[in-house]
Amino acid sequence: QSVLARTAEINGALQDDLALAALGHDLIEDAMENGEPVPQDRMIEQISELAGARVASLIEELTNFGDDNTEKNLVKLVNISDYAALIKIADIAENAMNASYAVHENGRDKTERWFSLMQPEFQALKGRRFNVAPQAAKLLMTYAEEGKIQGPVEITESQAVAKLKPGSVPGVADATGPTTVSVSIDPR
């Protein structure tokens, strides 16, 4: 929401609906009742009753069909509305930051999974032309891109080594080449 406020391209009720949809973007795929997934149509109906049809529609657009990296999900992602794509880019940017900063807490397997899921999604949205909120889209894409690792992350049992894009780490003077970051992993 702060990106939308910063660019002043979307205001009022639509900005509120985008914020609600962003907060609930995983509700449908993560909802469980008695250890079983809640049926999608029931979740959409409940979200619509609580937050409105526009919020429910955006969340439905962002819902995966199962495995995050299936071709079906990537095709769906390419065809979502600009509003849903803004939320997805923000999600990718946040996930990239979280994975980068929390590798020592999450460990090797979870970190590798996050990066493997983000890369195809980011590539699917990278060349998109936004008809709505183009400044916000550009800013979010920059955040997502700067949060991205340049090249594969090398992860061993004791550390993760990543090369970050030049100039992407505030306070690091090396602007001519990538910055190498090494993080120790606590085996606990």
Side-chain angles (χ1 to χ4, degrees):
Q1 190 172 19
S2 64
V3 170
L4 296 176
R6 196 165 154 189
T7 62
E9 292 177 292
I10 298 174
N11 294 300
L14 178 56
Q15 186 177 21
D16 293 343
D17 286 352
L18 287 173
L20 285 171
L23 289 170
H25 72 276
D26 284 335
L27 277 174
I28 294 172
E29 57 197 65
D30 291 348
M32 301 291 277
E33 185 175 77
N34 299 323
E36 296 292 323
V38 176
Q40 184 171 332
D41 56 342
R42 193 168 111 214
M43 282 302 301
I44 293 167
E45 184 180 315
Q46 288 177 351
I47 293 166
S48 186
E49 288 172 9
L50 292 171
R54 183 166 43 196
V55 173
S57 178
L58 287 166
I59 292 173
E60 184 177 16
E61 281 187 83
L62 294 163
T63 299
N64 288 326
F65 293 108
D67 181 20
D68 292 320
N69 251 343
T70 64
E71 186 175 325
K72 190 176 177 182
N73 286 327
L74 293 175
V75 168
K76 180 181 179 182
L77 186 60
V78 169
N79 293 301
I80 61 177
S81 70
D82 282 354
Y83 296 119
L86 286 170
I87 294 167
K88 187 62 181 177
I89 294 168
D91 184 39
I92 291 169
E94 181 193 21
N95 288 343
M97 268 193 321
N98 288 343
S100 297
Y101 290 117
V103 67
H104 61 283
E105 293 174 21
N106 294 328
R108 177 184 180 157
D109 292 342
K110 189 172 185 179
T111 301
E112 286 178 344
R113 176 165 161 64
W114 275 17
F115 282 116
S116 73
L117 293 175
M118 285 184 285
Q119 190 60 36
E121 292 176 346
F122 180 73
Q123 292 304 319
L125 292 172
K126 191 172 184 178
R128 185 185 183 109
R129 294 185 69 132
F130 283 82
N131 295 315
V132 297
Q135 290 177 325
K138 184 177 179 180
L139 190 56
L140 284 168
M141 193 58 82
T142 300
Y143 290 162
E145 207 163 19
E146 286 179 358
K148 286 291 188 187
I149 300 298
Q150 180 173 305
V153 179
E154 296 172 24
I155 302 176
T156 67
E157 294 302 317
S158 61
Q159 69 175 353
V161 178
K163 290 185 178 170
L164 304 178
K165 292 185 175 186
S168 66
V169 182
V172 176
D174 180 16
T176 59
T179 301
T180 300
V181 176
S182 177
V183 179
S184 295
I185 299 173
D186 186 344
R188 287 182 276 151

